[in-house]
Amino acid sequence: MRYRRLGKSGLKVSEISLGSWLTYGGHVEDAAAEACIHAAWEEGITFYDTANVYRRGGAEEVVGRALAHYDRDDYVLATKVYFPMGDGPNDKGLGRKHIVEQCERSLQRLGVDYIDLLQCHRFDKGTPLEETVRALDDLVTQGKVLYVGVSEWSAEQLDEARAIGERLLLRPMISNQPQYSMLWRQIEQSVIPTSERLGIGQVVWSPLAQGVLSGKYSPGEQPPADSRAGAGDEVSGFMGWLMTDEILGAVQQLRPIADELGVTMSQLAIAWVLRQPNVSSAIIGASRPEQVRENAAASGVELSDDVLARIDAAVGAVALTQTPQG
């Protein structure tokens, strides 16, 4: 496993991290989820990402219980705040009250004294940004949080937050967590250039495009019933734009490339993300330890410029480079 600095900060993270969205505390039994975390640890993964909203705290509890087996100094723990955690008017968003209270709840569920990276899960248009960045900085001053970051913020929002922080002499945000893969490339136009200028690193989620880049779905065929696309719930709905014959056919053109390199298609997809500028870490999800081990092996895969060009020739035409409208 290789390690990278998160943005221009002094924090080093494993270039592959383990996430817990759609799995821990819900779709995956707790024992299996903890087994995935232990497998990740054995593979050298030291960066673990979760959020308070994942299963309304259930994911944080599972992650905290598994990581309790290891020295606190040896791993980097990230969680998020923004989405509703109750029915009250202050149970959501990025107001000071919600941020501070949810930080305390996350610390309790995770069973730790501090959070390495607290991230704003989305941008809150209903709260003054100055209030948000001041609240985050206060948590750092108190020692409850070491670093702060965001998730799915635009280039303009990142710039505005930095301008406020510099005016108020606050500690800068060090990370952004966007969706990014061979098929979903919107951040390349403005988020990455802005982040590089500001010293912000990307911690990307869904590098496998919800599993589509693993090659397990074929054009003209029904997805397996036990797969994410075949689940028939909100997850499969989220994947709808990916499950076209055009996209699935393009993805199958990646198989010869992976075979020539002696890697799986999943490893190829993750290695591609890690080869892109400004990426500090790629978050993988897993329901079985063997998935963790396979994906963690992508850390050592080298992709030449020629291979990158062949990948673009295969899937570049179907990749989304702008945010879909509607």
Side-chain angles (χ1 to χ4, degrees):
M1 181 59 57
R2 299 174 182 177
Y3 303 87
R4 302 180 177 187
R5 290 172 60 193
L6 186 48
K8 290 185 179 178
S9 76
L11 181 64
K12 293 183 179 180
V13 297
S14 52
E15 63 180 14
I16 294 177
S17 42
L18 184 65
S20 55
W21 179 55
L22 296 177
T23 51
Y24 304 165
H27 288 183
V28 179
E29 294 295 331
D30 287 358
E34 292 186 38
C36 287
I37 292 175
H38 297 317
W41 185 267
E42 293 168 359
E43 296 299 322
I45 292 176
T46 57
F47 189 15
Y48 299 87
D49 179 79
T50 187
N52 61 354
V53 74
Y54 298 163
R55 306 303 167 191
R56 283 292 179 94
E60 286 184 325
E61 292 174 352
V62 173
V63 170
R65 190 161 55 244
L67 290 178
H69 292 272
Y70 310 108
D71 289 341
R72 180 66 185 90
D73 295 349
D74 292 338
Y75 59 85
V76 175
L77 183 55
T79 191
K80 310 181 197 73
V81 59
Y82 167 79
F83 285 108
M85 291 297 288
D87 298 326
N90 293 305
D91 289 338
K92 60 183 178 181
L94 296 178
R96 173 178 290 273
K97 179 176 173 62
H98 186 64
I99 289 175
V100 171
E101 291 176 348
Q102 286 305 310
C103 179
E104 293 292 344
R105 302 293 187 276
S106 290
L107 288 169
Q108 294 168 10
R109 286 189 292 262
L110 292 164
V112 295
D113 295 326
Y114 65 91
I115 294 164
D116 293 288
L117 179 66
L118 180 62
Q119 304 155 102
C120 299
H121 211 155
R122 291 295 186 274
F123 187 82
D124 183 2
K125 296 180 180 179
T127 298
L129 186 52
E130 180 173 328
E131 177 178 339
T132 296
V133 295
R134 278 185 181 274
L136 293 170
D137 195 70
D138 286 347
L139 291 173
V140 177
T141 299
Q142 295 165 17
K144 296 177 180 179
V145 172
L146 302 187
Y147 298 92
V148 296
V150 300
S151 177
E152 296 288 2
W153 281 28
S154 69
E156 293 76 17
Q157 291 161 351
L158 294 173
D159 254 332
E160 184 182 359
R162 177 58 63 88
I164 293 173
E166 289 178 347
R167 175 170 56 83
L168 299 176
L169 301 179
L170 306 179
R171 300 165 184 87
M173 296 176 175
I174 67 168
S175 66
N176 180 44
Q177 187 175 130
Q179 182 178 180
Y180 190 39
S181 71
M182 292 179 186
L183 299 175
W184 186 274
R185 305 188 186 186
Q186 290 92 326
I187 64 170
E188 293 177 347
Q189 293 186 342
S190 59
V191 171
I192 283 181
T194 297
S195 296
E196 289 189 313
R197 174 168 51 83
L198 298 179
I200 292 172
Q202 308 302 313
V203 179
V204 306
W205 61 274
S206 196
L208 298 182
Q210 302 303 309
V212 169
L213 288 170
S214 70
K216 62 184 175 182
Y217 304 115
S218 300
E221 297 181 5
Q222 283 291 109
D226 61 349
S227 68
R228 184 172 292 179
D233 59 9
E234 74 278 6
V235 180
S236 58
F238 177 75
M239 295 177 61
W241 72 274
L242 290 161
M243 301 302 292
T244 67
D245 285 350
E246 182 184 18
I247 290 179
L248 296 181
V251 169
Q252 290 303 317
Q253 295 180 43
L254 297 171
R255 192 174 298 278
I257 303 174
D259 290 344
E260 288 177 24
L261 294 174
V263 300
T264 66
M265 290 180 66
S266 294
Q267 290 165 348
L268 180 69
I270 296 169
W272 180 89
V273 165
L274 294 175
R275 186 70 157 70
Q276 305 310 305
N278 196 235
V279 173
S280 296
S281 187
I283 301 174
I284 61 171
S287 57
R288 303 187 308 277
E290 53 267 31
Q291 290 177 321
V292 175
R293 298 187 182 97
E294 175 189 349
N295 293 338
S299 177
V301 176
E302 299 286 353
L303 302 183
S304 67
D305 290 342
D306 177 65
V307 168
L308 294 177
R310 291 174 63 192
I311 289 172
D312 275 345
V315 299
V318 300
L320 289 179
T321 58
Q322 296 182 355
T323 304
Q325 300 299 312

